[in-house]
Amino acid sequence: MKKIFITGALGQIGSELTIKLRNIYGTDNVIATDIRKNDSEAAQSGPFEVVDVTDTKTMIETARKYEADTIIHMAALLSATAEKNPVFAWNLNMGGLMNALESARELKAQFFTPSSIGAFGPSTPKDQTPQDTIQRPTTMYGVNKVAGELLADYYYHKFGVDTRGLRFPGLISYVTPPGGGTTDYAVEIYYEAIKNGRYTSYIDKGTYMDMMYMPDALNAIIDLMEADSSKLIHRNSFNVTAMSFEPEEIAAEIRNSIPGFEISYDVDPARQQIADSWPNSIDATAAKEEWGFKAEYDLEKMTIDMLEKLKK
Ligand code: AKB
C-alpha cells in the first residue's frame, strides 16, 4: 500500500485530492500537510501535519516520519498573486519544489507536481499548442513552472526519481475556491449566477483559455501516477485539457439553466495581460497516447453539475 505525503493539501486541488486518495488508498496512508490547519474535511479526516514547504528540515523530517513513498507537491502561488509578489513567488514556488524533490530523492519516493498552461508564453503557438514547443512565458508563475518542469526532469535523469507532472488548464470546482489565479473567473461566474443571476467578468469577451472540471483533474493525477513508467516518453509535464471557452460561451451555457443570467465586463488589465499570453487551446495527444488520459466533462456537462451542486 502507498504512503502518500501531500503538500498544499488544503488548497483548491489538494483538498479534494486528499479525500479521493484516502478513499482509494486508505485514510492513514494519505498524510495531508499545509501551512496551517483548518476545519475542512481534508484536515480533519486523517493524518495532518503543519508543514511550511520552504522549511527544508521540517518537510524532509515529516515525510520521513511517515515513511512516505509518494510525494504530491501542490503548495504554490497561482499566476495573479505571483505577479503581485514575484520575489515571494520565486522563493515559495521554487524553494518549495526543491525541498519536495529533495525529500523524494532521499526517500526514493515517486513524485508529482502540477505545471500549468502558464508555462507557455506569447511566442508559443496559440491554437492546439503542442506538447513540445516554445516555452518563453512572461509571468513569474510561468517562469517558475518552466523551471519546475526542467528541475523535475533533471531529478528523473540525474537521480532516478520517478517524477511526473501535468500542465493543468484552469480548474473548476464547487468545493474549495481557487485563490489568485487568472482563470478563477470561470469558477466565480457559477457562484455569482446562483447568488445574483449576474456576473461582472475581469476577463474580456473573446479570451479563450483551456479549462477542466475538478473530477477529471483528480482522475488525471491518479491515472498518471498509476501509469506504467516504461510507457512514459514525456514526464514533466503533460498537456491536459477538457475544453476551451471564452466568457460569452460559459455565460450562454449557464443561461440554459438560469435563463435571465447576465454577464458584463470590467476588465482587470493585469489578469487580462496574463490571459493574453497563454494559449487559446492546447493539444493533449501525448497524454492520451502515453497513459490514456481522458476527460469526461465538457462545458455543458460541467455546467449542469456545477449549478446542481452549488444550489444544494
Ligand atoms: C491560474 O490561473 O493561475 C491557474 C493556472 C491556469 O495555472 N488556474
Side-chain angles (χ1 to χ4, degrees), residues 169 210-213 216 240-244 293 295-299:
D210 285 276
M211 304 281 172
M212 191 187 279
Y213 200 32
D216 282 330
V240 285
T241 182
M243 60 195 97
S244 166
F293 166 69
E296 273 181 31
Y297 288 86
D298 59 12
L299 178 57

Side-chain angles (χ1 to χ4, degrees), residues 78-80 116-118 141 168-171 180-184 278:
L78 291 182
S79 54
S116 157
I117 52 170
Y141 179 69
F168 276 132
L171 297 181
T182 303
T183 58
D184 297 6
W278 289 356

Side-chain angles (χ1 to χ4, degrees), residues 26 49 55 125 137 171 190 202 204 209 211 237 240 254 262 280:
E49 298 277 349
D55 176 350
L171 297 181
Y190 288 108
Y202 61 81
D204 207 358
M209 285 186 278
M211 304 281 172
S237 279
V240 285
I254 290 173
E262 280 174 31
N280 295 330

Side-chain angles (χ1 to χ4, degrees), residues 155-189:
Y155 267 70
Y156 172 66
H157 292 296
K158 178 90 178 171
F159 304 119
V161 180
D162 182 0
T163 57
R164 305 177 184 203
L166 298 171
R167 288 183 189 133
F168 276 132
L171 297 181
I172 296 164
S173 132
Y174 56 89
V175 180
T176 307
T182 303
T183 58
D184 297 6
Y185 92 87
V187 180
E188 289 170 10
I189 195 168

Side-chain angles (χ1 to χ4, degrees), residues 245-302:
F245 55 74
E246 56 107 1
E248 292 291 319
E249 291 174 1
I250 187 170
E253 201 58 57
I254 290 173
R255 256 176 236 124
N256 290 333
S257 304
I258 304 174
F261 176 72
E262 280 174 31
I263 185 163
S264 55
Y265 295 88
D266 181 10
V267 174
D268 169 16
R271 284 178 287 186
Q272 185 63 39
Q273 201 181 10
I274 298 175
D276 287 340
S277 77
W278 289 356
N280 295 330
S281 63
I282 64 172
D283 173 31
T285 304
K288 288 176 192 161
E289 287 179 358
E290 291 174 41
W291 51 275
F293 166 69
K294 195 174 172 302
E296 273 181 31
Y297 288 86
D298 59 12
L299 178 57
E300 184 186 353
K301 199 168 163 197
M302 174 179 78

